Amino acid sequence: MSDRVMLLDSASLYFRAFYGVPDTVKAPDGRAVNAVRGFLDMIAKLVTTYEPTHLVACWDDDWRPQWRVDLIPTYKTHRVAEPVETGPDVEVVPDPLEAQVRVIREALGVLGIPIVGAADHEADDVIGSLATQSEIPVDVVTGDRDLFQLVDDARGIRVIYTGRGMSNLEVLTDEAVLAKYAVRPDQYADFATMRGDASDGLPGVAGVGDKTAATLLAAHGDLGAIRAAAEAGTGMTAGVRAKILAAADYLSVAPEVVRVVRDLDLGAVDSRIRAVDPVQIEDLATRWSLGGSATRASAALSARR
């Protein structure tokens, strides 16, 4: 059994679980547990299907870091429920989901899955750092396309993309990213910078979509070379040149926002999967009415030890 670490984009998964699993089952205290049950079933399926030997739940200690907001003030603005001057802003999270996050963290503890976050950084940055610094192959599980920039066949880093649902998982390799977007993974951050992303409050370059961004990267290699060509008036049409030049201020700061951090010092993380204590998992399942979801997650992990 060869070693492979699986990095979970935790918030991406529990939001998907919350909206994808009916809230008909309640815990004894009356709270919905659909996100918890769905999250545990996701773990069971992912571990059974992809057979990791190590597993980490990566966490948003700061879902909207101030240093990214300082660069692009619109960054995730529409998702702010309450600004906080002395710490991370409060994100818009449905109350029934907010009440389940603590239970998800408790369940991860019982399953022996470490939760790893970093002050002033998003889970994407934790994933980027753990993946880049890993000495074994990596599977990144996420619904966030921005993490496609991490794909690297040479280092054994691939993305298991949940954007089409857990029944239609996509495994992104170098070839798959190239086929999907006509850019290499190492070009993906520049591609995403130019395209923009309304869901993250990134405006992109006005008038430049996927096709134009990919064409520019194919011709010039990276964003720096594209900007240099635009300034020199070569290698692109006058219309595209005008669009690149008009977006100069945005393009000077956006790449730092879009690129995930890869050099966080997260210390030693003991992520090897271990057998789960049956007494603890039964107690967890009983207290929170988690039924077979807790059992399936426990069995999947115990089978990988």
Side-chain angles (χ1 to χ4, degrees), residues 6-20 35 38-39 42-43 46 56 97 104 141-143 160-162 166 169:
M6 177 174 283
L7 307 177
L8 304 179
D9 184 356
S10 301
S12 171
L13 296 183
Y14 65 63
F15 267 94
R16 177 168 292 278
F18 176 74
Y19 287 110
F39 190 83
M42 288 176 177
I43 288 174
L46 290 163
V56 181
L97 173 56
I104 290 171
V141 183
T142 184
I160 299 169
Y161 183 55
T162 64
M166 291 299 294
L169 295 171

Side-chain angles (χ1 to χ4, degrees), residues 28 54 61 68 75 97 110 115 120-121 150 166-167 171 179 182 186 197 214 232 240 242 265-266 282:
H54 298 68
D61 278 12
R68 282 193 166 106
Y75 185 63
L97 173 56
V110 171
I115 298 170
D120 304 318
H121 288 85
L150 296 175
M166 291 299 294
S167 60
V171 177
D186 63 283
D197 187 344
V240 171
D265 183 1
L266 299 168
E282 183 178 353

Side-chain angles (χ1 to χ4, degrees), residues 66-245:
Q66 187 60 46
W67 59 270
R68 282 193 166 106
V69 177
D70 289 343
L71 293 168
I72 298 184
T74 58
Y75 185 63
K76 296 186 178 180
T77 301
H78 63 293
R79 288 158 54 183
V80 176
E82 179 184 347
V84 178
E85 290 187 9
T86 58
D89 291 333
V90 177
E91 184 179 12
V92 175
V93 178
D95 290 344
L97 173 56
E98 183 71 33
Q100 296 181 64
V101 173
R102 181 176 70 82
V103 185
I104 290 171
R105 292 183 66 99
E106 180 183 350
L108 289 167
V110 171
L111 293 171
I113 300 172
I115 298 170
V116 180
D120 304 318
H121 288 85
E122 302 174 55
D124 285 9
D125 302 315
V126 174
I127 291 169
S129 295
L130 289 176
T132 301
Q133 298 167 33
S134 177
E135 297 180 354
I136 60 176
V138 179
D139 282 340
V140 174
V141 183
T142 184
D144 185 350
R145 294 179 301 173
D146 284 344
L147 289 173
F148 292 175
Q149 65 188 273
L150 296 175
V151 172
D152 186 342
D153 285 1
R155 300 198 63 250
I157 302 172
R158 60 187 187 178
V159 167
I160 299 169
Y161 183 55
T162 64
R164 297 171 56 198
M166 291 299 294
S167 60
N168 293 290
L169 295 171
E170 295 180 77
V171 177
L172 277 298
T173 59
D174 286 2
E175 182 181 1
V177 173
L178 186 61
K180 199 175 184 71
Y181 298 103
V183 298
R184 302 187 308 270
D186 63 283
Q187 296 174 311
Y188 190 85
D190 287 346
F191 172 79
T193 295
M194 287 187 284
R195 177 191 60 198
D197 187 344
S199 67
D200 279 343
L202 297 173
V205 177
V208 172
D210 287 18
K211 185 175 180 179
T212 301
T215 299
L216 288 169
L217 286 166
H220 301 285
D222 60 28
L223 184 55
I226 291 169
R227 296 187 68 191
E231 290 167 4
T234 60
M236 64 191 70
T237 66
V240 171
R241 175 176 182 256
K243 292 168 184 176
I244 296 296
L245 293 177

Side-chain angles (χ1 to χ4, degrees), residues 238-286:
V240 171
R241 175 176 182 256
K243 292 168 184 176
I244 296 296
L245 293 177
D249 290 346
Y250 166 78
L251 292 175
S252 294
V253 295
E256 187 173 350
V257 175
V258 174
R259 291 191 195 105
V260 299
V261 176
R262 298 175 183 243
D263 58 359
L264 292 175
D265 183 1
L266 299 168
V269 179
D270 184 3
S271 59
R272 181 167 287 279
I273 293 172
R274 294 177 173 80
V276 180
D277 185 326
V279 175
Q280 289 187 9
I281 202 69
E282 183 178 353
D283 174 64
L284 178 80
T286 300

